[in-house]
Each structure stands twice: as C-alpha cells, then as structure tokens.
C-alpha cells in the first residue's frame, strides 16, 4: 500500500513534512514491535512443544526402568562349561574308552578324525552378545542325538544348549558330516568298479554277477504341518522312505531319502536317480560276455520291486539275500534315532538320515571291531552253509519295509533273466549244502 507522495511506510522521502515523518517513525516502531512479538511467540511455542516431548520421554524411561527386564538367556545356560555333558565326555575320553564308544558310538580316534575334517564347516565365531558353541560340543551333541534318538527338550538339559539352537545346530552338523564323509559312499561309475562289488558278493555269499542288494525302509517321523495323509504309510504311521543299495560288506553304495511314506511299494524306485539310470541302461554295467555264465549283471531286491532284466527278486515266499535288512538293522541298532519318530523339519530329517548312512560306512571301515564286532552280524559257513544269526537281531527295530508289489505284467526279458539264474543255481552254480538248508 502506497501513501500519497509516492513514499512507502518503511521508507523516507524529501516530500514529507516533519509531522508526517514523526507519524511514520511511530508507525515504523509499532510495526517492528509487533513483528518481534510474533517471533517471540513462535519461539515460545516451539519451546513448549519440546518441553512436552522431553517430559514424555522421561515418563517412558521411568516406566521401562520399573518394568521387569527379560533375560537374553537363562542363567544356568550361561554356565554351559560347568553343567553340560561335555565334562562327562572328556572324563570318558581320558579314562574310559569303552564307555566313550558306547556314549558316542565311535572311538576317540574316530571322533577326533571326524572333528578335524568337519570343524571348518561347523565352527562359528563369538559375537558381542555371547560366545559361540565350540565345534567339539556341536559334534558331541549331534552324535548323542543320533545314538539315542532323545528329544531336543531332553538334550537341552544335558547339553546346556537351548532347544531352538539345537534344532538348527544338529541338522547343520549332520549336513557337514554327510558332505565330509561322502567319499565313504561312492557310487560305481565303471564296469571295473561294478565287477569289484560282484566279486565280494560271490566270495562272501556265493552269488555271482551281483551289483548290490536293493531295499527301501520307512523312517518314522512326526506328522509335518498341514500335510494331511500325504506321509501316512500302509503300516499306520507317518514316514519318509529311505531307498538304499548295499554291497556284500553291509555298506551303503547309494541312498535316496525323502519320498513320502504314502508311496509304499516299488513304484518309489522310479522316482530315484538310481531307478532312472537303471531303466535308461545308464549304469555302465558289465556286458554278459564278461559275467559268470554269460548271465545278466543284476541287482537283487524283494517282492516290493518289479522284475527287470537287471533286477531280480525271489519267487513268492522265498528269499535271495538279507544284506539289505542286515545293513538297515545294524545302522538302526547303533543309531537309535530310527527307533522313535523324528520330530524335525523335513529337510532336517533328510540330513539326519544321510548322516547316519555315511557314518555307518565310516565306522564299518575305521571302527569295525567296535561298531560291528564278530558275532554281531549274520554269517554263513563256507563248508556246510550253516547260517549263524547275529546279535543285532536281538534288538532288531523291525523298520518297516516297502509294501509288496501286487500282481503285474513283467517283461519277457525280466522273467527270462530270473529263470536263467534259477537254472544256474541248480546247475553249475550249486553248492553242496544248499538243499539241506532250504
């Protein structure tokens, strides 16, 4: 707004009289005063808001200080070095090697060897919040879980490790065991490697041209969430299937685990890598020109599997070989985690089962006398064919096998293969004592 004479309220001009100048000066002072008061009001209001905020923070801090503080972990768990079973493990290690083997299912030497090769995979660093679980404690509690099948809640008290951490720690360690000991379960990839396995079968069990005994077992589990009857098997409980190929020395050659227990018959073989390679003739088996009697190179199974030119099974109600059941029985006898339902995530259960399989082979070679001493397994006399039943049968957990396959149409080549072996065992392959033991 401009007054007459062309001057502004805040400015000065030569056209104004002294009275006008006095009035303008007065107005100028009043305007400045009003502006200063407005600024002070804004600052004062801001201070009031800040004061209110600080008072609210003070009240919140006071309430928090009065609230009972939750602990990061239970006090007794912080005394793990004094209260856990590791004190007992070290005592047995130093003074009672026999009890040490019973406790962890292996000798001190095997434990140290296994610890050395898996430590880089399971060792963790300390944090500002807490110290990491040492590698030897991780391995010891995992082996104890496999050896006993005890619940994580039970192990929680004996190991002084929280149940939540055990549910992570044990599968991690099992996975490390499987990958570290994978060399103890090599699948043959050449004709010469298959011939070596067949030589053992012929020497120990008088069965030529055999690449392994095939079987599947139900591993009992707790029902997975929201799974309905998907894992419910024909025996009336929840399970996953372990398919395995075993050599003449009761060692696993190949395993496949994870198929839902509802698939209870030999149809599960088609869903395994071994089954696919068998059907596609991609196993690099020796040709008939290099086998005993020019017979097909075969695998033996039971009534759960269909006949195949390279897979034979006994005639109804007969048995060809028990390496399959014996191998499963030895492993389940030593690792009693198979005696109770495994209560873990499915991927964790797979790691547990695979770890047991490679540990079985590992201990069969390194701790044979302790793991499977003389008399523990079945044996057959080479002179009279007398079968000596092993001690493992006294505690046979009777892990359920696959459901027998119903009547089906076998191919002509498959039936011919079995008939040829039948003629061989009643002719040039017969042993002097076979009829008195049938």
């Amino acid at each position: 707004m401009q007054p007459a004479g062309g001057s502004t309220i805040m400015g000065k001009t030569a056209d104004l009289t002294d009275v006008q100048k006095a009035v303008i000066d007065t107005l100028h002072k009043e305007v400045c005063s009003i502006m200063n008061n407005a600024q002070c009001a804004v600052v004062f209001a801001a201070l009031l808001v800040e004061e209110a905020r600080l008072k609210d923070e003070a009240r919140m801090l006071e309430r928090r200080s009065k609230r009972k503080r939750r602990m990061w972990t239970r006090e007794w768990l912080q005394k793990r070095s004094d209260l856990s079973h590791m004190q007992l493990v070290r005592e047995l290690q130093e003074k009672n090697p026999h009890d040490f083997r019973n406790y962890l299912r292996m000798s001190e030497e095997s434990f140290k060897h296994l610890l050395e090769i898996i430590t880089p995979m399971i060792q963790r660093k300390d944090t500002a919040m807490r110290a990491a679980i040492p590698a030897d404690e991780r391995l010891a509690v995992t082996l104890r879980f496999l050896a006993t099948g005890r619940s994580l809640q039970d192990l929680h008290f004996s190991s002084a490790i929280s149940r939540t951490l055990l549910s992570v720690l044990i599968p991690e360690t099992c996975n490390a065991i499987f990958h570290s000991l994978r060399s103890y379960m090599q699948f043959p990839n050449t004709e010469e490697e298959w011939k070596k396995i067949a030589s053992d079968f012929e020497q120990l069990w008088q069965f030529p041209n055999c690449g392994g005994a095939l079987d599947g077992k139900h591993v009992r589990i707790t029902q997975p969430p929201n799974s309905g009857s998907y894992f419910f098997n024909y025996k009336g409980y929840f399970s996953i299937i372990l398919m395995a190929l075993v050599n003449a020395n009761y060692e696993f050659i190949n395993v496949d685990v994870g198929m839902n227990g509802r698939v209870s018959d030999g149809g599960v073989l088609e869903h395994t890598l071994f089954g696919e390679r068998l059907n596609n003739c991609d196993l690099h088996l020796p040709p008939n020109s290099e086998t005993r009697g020019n017979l097909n190179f075969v695998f033996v199974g039971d009534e759960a599997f269909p006949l195949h030119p390279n897979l034979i099974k006994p005639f109804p109600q007969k048995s060809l070989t028990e390496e399959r059941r014996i191998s499963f029985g030895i492993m389940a006898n030593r690792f009693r985690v198979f005696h109770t339902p495994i209560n873990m995530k499915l991927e964790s259960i797979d790691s547990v089962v695979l770890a047991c399989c490679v540990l079985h082979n590992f201990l069969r070679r390194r701790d044979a006398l302790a793991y499977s001493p003389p008399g523990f397994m079945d044996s057959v006399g080479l002179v009279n064919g007398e079968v000596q039943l092993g001690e493992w049968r006294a505690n046979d957990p009777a892990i359920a096998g696959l459901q027998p396959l119903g009547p089906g149409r076998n191919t002509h080549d498959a039936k011919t293969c079995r008939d040829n072996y039948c003629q061989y065992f009643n002719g040039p392959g017969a042993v002097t004592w076979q009829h008195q033991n049938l």
Side-chain angles (χ1 to χ4, degrees):
M1 176 178 180
Q2 300 213 354
S7 60
T8 64
I9 293 178
M10 301 299 293
K12 297 181 180 181
T13 66
D15 299 330
L16 298 177
T17 64
D18 293 340
V19 175
Q20 289 173 328
K21 292 178 180 179
V23 172
I24 290 174
D25 289 341
T26 302
L27 291 173
H28 180 261
K29 292 178 181 179
E30 289 180 355
V31 170
C32 290
S33 176
I34 291 172
M35 291 179 66
N36 291 335
N37 289 339
Q39 291 174 351
C40 290
V42 172
V43 173
F44 183 70
L47 290 173
L48 289 177
V49 172
E50 182 66 12
E51 181 183 14
R53 187 184 67 81
L54 293 174
K55 287 182 178 179
D56 288 341
E57 287 185 356
R59 284 193 292 269
M60 291 178 64
L61 290 173
E62 184 178 2
R63 285 197 297 268
R64 288 177 181 176
S65 63
K66 292 180 180 180
R67 188 183 304 166
K68 187 175 181 180
R69 190 172 182 180
R70 296 185 64 185
M71 298 180 61
W72 172 259
T73 184
R74 290 183 174 86
E75 184 177 353
W76 69 273
L77 290 177
Q78 296 176 333
K79 302 177 182 178
R80 187 178 63 250
S81 59
D82 298 324
L83 301 179
S84 80
H85 67 153
M86 289 305 295
Q87 296 290 342
L88 173 62
V89 170
R90 295 186 179 100
E91 174 73 16
L92 298 178
Q93 194 172 7
E94 294 176 3
K95 300 179 180 180
N96 301 92
H98 177 74
D99 291 337
F100 181 90
R101 284 195 299 269
N102 285 338
Y103 193 75
L104 297 181
R105 296 297 190 265
M106 65 180 61
S107 67
E108 178 186 356
E109 293 75 18
S110 295
F111 179 82
K112 288 181 177 179
H113 177 72
L114 180 58
L115 178 63
E116 181 181 357
I117 61 179
I118 71 168
T119 291
M121 302 178 66
I122 65 174
Q123 184 66 64
R124 301 292 183 267
K125 295 182 179 180
D126 295 342
T127 67
M129 300 298 294
R130 58 185 175 184
I133 308 293
D136 61 339
E137 293 189 31
R138 289 172 175 264
L139 178 57
V141 73
T142 299
L143 292 176
R144 191 61 182 159
F145 170 75
L146 300 179
T148 64
R150 291 162 57 187
S151 68
L152 299 187
Q153 184 67 20
D154 192 9
L155 288 173
H156 160 62
F157 291 107
S158 62
S159 65
I161 301 174
S162 71
R163 185 184 182 280
T164 302
L165 184 54
L166 285 172
S167 67
V168 176
L169 178 157
I170 291 176
E172 284 181 350
T173 307
C174 286
N175 193 49
I177 290 173
F178 175 69
H179 286 93
S180 299
L181 300 181
R182 192 68 182 271
S183 61
Y184 285 84
M185 191 168 61
Q186 291 290 336
F187 188 75
N189 287 309
T190 66
E191 294 179 8
E192 294 304 317
E193 291 175 343
W194 285 118
K195 289 178 182 178
K196 173 62 172 66
I197 293 176
S199 175
D200 292 338
F201 267 102
E202 185 166 12
Q203 180 180 356
L204 296 174
W205 301 101
Q206 296 81 52
F207 196 113
N209 312 324
C210 181
L214 184 68
D215 199 8
K217 296 294 183 181
H218 287 274
V219 177
R220 190 186 297 262
I221 65 173
T222 58
Q223 182 183 12
N226 306 315
S227 63
S229 60
Y230 188 67
F231 293 89
F232 197 73
N233 65 32
Y234 77 104
K235 286 290 188 177
Y237 58 85
F238 297 94
S239 67
I240 59 174
I241 295 176
L242 168 62
M243 287 287 297
L245 186 67
V246 180
N247 66 20
N249 295 308
Y250 311 111
E251 296 176 358
F252 295 103
I253 304 172
N254 177 260
V255 295
D256 189 290
V257 63
M259 179 67 66
N260 61 295
R262 191 173 183 176
V263 183
S264 295
D265 59 25
V268 68
L269 178 62
E270 300 176 0
H271 299 285
T272 65
L273 180 60
F274 173 79
E276 292 178 4
R277 294 183 64 180
L278 177 66
N279 289 329
N280 294 331
C281 301
D282 189 31
L283 292 174
H284 308 293
L285 302 178
N288 287 23
S289 59
E290 300 180 12
T291 62
R292 177 84 64 186
N294 295 326
L295 298 168
N296 289 4
F297 195 89
V298 295
F299 303 94
V300 294
D302 59 17
E303 296 177 355
F305 301 101
L307 282 177
H308 182 277
N310 298 109
L311 173 60
I312 62 175
K313 62 180 181 179
F315 290 98
Q317 308 302 321
K318 300 293 181 181
S319 176
L320 282 176
T321 177
E322 283 206 316
E323 280 78 13
R324 300 161 288 107
R325 183 186 172 208
I326 296 173
S327 299
F328 282 112
I330 294 171
M331 181 177 69
N333 188 280
R334 294 313 191 196
F335 299 109
R336 303 183 74 83
V337 67
F338 293 105
H339 287 231
T340 59
I342 304 176
N343 185 14
M344 286 184 168
K345 296 179 180 179
L346 289 174
E347 56 270 23
S348 298
I349 297 175
D350 291 351
S351 298
V352 167
V353 175
L354 291 173
C356 288
C357 291
V358 294
L359 279 172
H360 169 83
N361 288 2
F362 172 75
L363 295 173
R364 279 281 298 149
R365 298 182 193 179
R366 286 188 60 93
D367 276 345
L369 291 178
Y371 183 73
S372 49
F376 186 75
M377 299 175 297
D378 296 354
S379 61
V380 178
L382 297 180
V383 178
N384 57 10
E386 183 179 357
V387 178
Q388 298 291 335
L389 300 182
E391 297 174 3
W392 70 274
R393 293 177 179 273
N395 296 310
D396 182 11
I399 302 177
L402 300 183
Q403 190 173 12
L405 195 66
R409 299 180 63 183
N410 298 308
T411 66
H412 174 73
D413 289 344
K415 290 188 289 186
T416 299
C417 175
R418 183 169 65 175
D419 291 341
N420 289 341
Y421 269 94
C422 181
Q423 294 175 10
Y424 174 82
F425 286 123
N426 284 283
V431 291
T432 57
W433 43 262
Q434 67 182 31
H435 296 290
Q436 68 189 41
N437 286 290
L438 294 177

